[in-house]
Amino acid sequence: MNRRDFMTLLGAMPVLAASGGSAGAQGYLTTGDLSQTAAPVWDAWKTAYLQPDGRVVDTLQREASHSEGQGYGALLATEFEDQEAFNRIVQWSEANLAVRGDGLLAWRYLPDETVHVPDLNNASDGDLFYAWGLVRAAARFDDRRYLVRAQQVARALAETCIAPAMDSAGGTVFLPAAQGFVHEDRVVFNPSYIMPLAMREVASATGVVELAQTAQHAEALLSRLAASGPVPDWVQMTESGIAPAEGFSTDAGYEAMRVPLYLVWSGLNRHPAVTQMMRVYDRTVQPGVPVPTRIDPLSGTVLEASNDPGYRALAALVSCAGDTGAVGSDMPPFDPSQPYYPATLQMFAMIAANQVSPECVPI
């Protein structure tokens, strides 16, 4: 069954759940263009998490905004062909987070602090998604100014957030930030900051080939990490190999859950990291039972779980994409009453299924 066949099967699928006891708007995924078929979902996301000035708000984190959220929002606005929202997000980001002087964004904005940006360090995944949103916007909205800004971000990432790997495998590693993660005896690495498709598209559009090269090295590193179980949130690399990162989460938790999502979105459904999480989801995800959100990667024990539909949508995508015979996933309807993070993961799962794994679009 090809992509068009899958898309025509979706005429009866609601993509926006009722919230707060009242019926929400309904959208239907009937073609390949989400900007047309799933516009109500995008409108619900904007209403819930995007302020009029362009600030994406994480209500569970002191109403803070992060470069991650701004990058995510910029990409979503592009995918849903909303140039007005995209410009608001970029303008707010440039005015409030582009304060480092090197083209990258400061990682967090705290509205309840006198100094709203107390830490000037960046977060490389936020910058990567911001650049990716700019790259896609340059093409979608036919505006080269976005590409010029993306080139600035990409060059700064290559100069400050890519470093030689310390272990014997060689290659390079994508640092979590420009400062604080390279030590004399180790390099600290967050696997969920790797988004191969974004790194390759940004590299191709901007000419910063180091991003694509680092994505290739990272895929091999993720395979090594997945050899014994789900990929953990944080690891450290030394001359003797890879080990749990001192002082960081070593669970497969809220950060690492993005690893299989990004790999599926990048067309890497058979990657070992996808297979490992598919196995976890296959034995734990059941109707009416909270979905695992934090797992012990060694024992497979579920340490935390959630009923938020975004996590269930992610599990549905991974379970479908990792199964060569799967047809259709059981992604739930979108619910804008859930927190920003699972809501955004659900949007990404929907886009990944629509654009890369049409066999996993709910039917």
Side-chain angles (χ1 to χ4, degrees):
M1 186 177 292
N2 63 29
R3 179 188 183 93
R4 183 180 300 275
D5 293 332
F6 275 106
M7 294 304 172
T8 59
L9 292 174
L10 304 179
M13 191 203 77
V15 294
L16 188 63
S19 63
S22 60
Q26 296 292 322
Y28 298 92
L29 294 176
T30 55
T31 74
D33 188 351
L34 291 179
S35 69
Q36 300 298 318
T37 60
V41 181
W42 170 235
D43 289 340
W45 190 95
K46 287 192 297 181
T47 299
Y49 316 110
L50 179 62
Q51 293 192 341
D53 62 358
R55 185 166 81 90
V56 178
V57 178
D58 187 343
T59 56
L60 295 185
Q61 301 287 334
R62 298 170 56 186
E63 301 287 326
S65 295
H66 302 88
S67 60
E68 166 204 279
Q70 298 304 120
Y72 287 174
L75 182 70
L76 288 173
T78 301
E79 295 306 295
F80 285 91
E81 204 169 356
D82 190 341
Q83 188 172 13
E84 186 275 332
F86 177 85
N87 284 335
R88 281 193 284 132
I89 292 168
V90 168
Q91 288 165 7
W92 186 91
S93 303
E94 293 297 314
N96 294 278
L97 295 180
V99 293
R100 289 170 45 87
D102 62 356
L104 302 178
L105 304 178
W107 75 281
R108 183 171 62 168
Y109 176 96
L110 296 171
D112 58 353
E113 295 284 345
T114 302
V115 178
H116 295 315
V117 183
D119 183 355
L120 293 182
N121 207 5
N122 73 308
S124 60
D125 65 330
D127 291 310
L128 175 62
F129 269 81
Y130 190 63
W132 194 24
L134 288 161
V135 163
R136 287 198 164 185
R140 184 139 201 176
F141 304 132
D142 192 24
D143 192 330
R144 183 171 174 77
R145 292 176 300 171
Y146 301 142
L147 182 58
V148 172
R149 181 68 179 102
Q151 289 172 327
Q152 295 174 341
V153 178
R155 292 193 195 103
L157 281 172
E159 292 171 2
T160 64
C161 295
I162 293 177
M166 282 191 172
D167 70 344
S168 58
T172 54
V173 61
F174 194 51
L175 300 174
Q179 290 86 36
F181 295 94
V182 177
H183 307 276
E184 184 176 347
D185 61 340
R186 69 191 189 282
V187 173
V188 177
F189 173 72
N190 187 315
S192 73
Y193 282 31
I194 295 297
M195 203 313 184
L197 179 62
M199 297 175 83
R200 291 192 171 99
E201 284 194 9
V202 172
S204 176
T206 65
V208 182
V209 297
E210 293 90 341
L211 287 171
Q213 294 166 346
T214 301
Q216 189 72 23
H217 299 148
E219 288 171 24
L221 174 58
L222 292 175
S223 292
R224 292 166 59 194
L225 290 172
S228 58
V231 174
D233 290 333
W234 292 86
V235 296
Q236 63 184 32
M237 305 175 66
T238 68
E239 291 182 354
S240 58
I242 304 173
E246 300 173 8
F248 294 86
S249 166
T250 56
D251 299 328
Y254 289 94
E255 297 195 67
M257 65 173 57
R258 294 175 293 187
V259 171
L261 167 64
Y262 291 166
L263 290 170
V264 170
W265 199 350
S266 300
L268 301 170
N269 294 13
R270 305 278 82 80
H271 193 282
V274 176
T275 302
Q276 289 287 10
M277 277 308 300
M278 180 190 69
R279 291 170 179 164
V280 171
Y281 289 141
D282 283 352
R283 67 178 175 78
T284 59
V285 176
Q286 303 174 32
V289 177
V291 173
T293 53
R294 194 163 64 90
I295 303 157
D296 183 328
L298 296 179
S299 68
T301 301
V302 176
L303 304 174
E304 196 170 332
S306 172
N307 280 315
D308 289 325
Y311 300 128
R312 189 170 298 277
L314 175 59
L317 173 70
V318 172
S319 295
C320 171
D323 182 352
T324 56
V327 176
S329 66
D330 59 350
M331 289 187 196
F334 183 80
D335 186 347
S337 70
Q338 65 186 314
Y340 140 83
Y341 185 61
T344 304
L345 294 184
Q346 185 165 6
M347 299 288 278
F348 286 170
M350 181 174 66
I351 292 171
N354 179 270
Q355 296 181 353
V356 181
S357 295
E359 70 278 8
C360 296
V361 173
I363 58 176

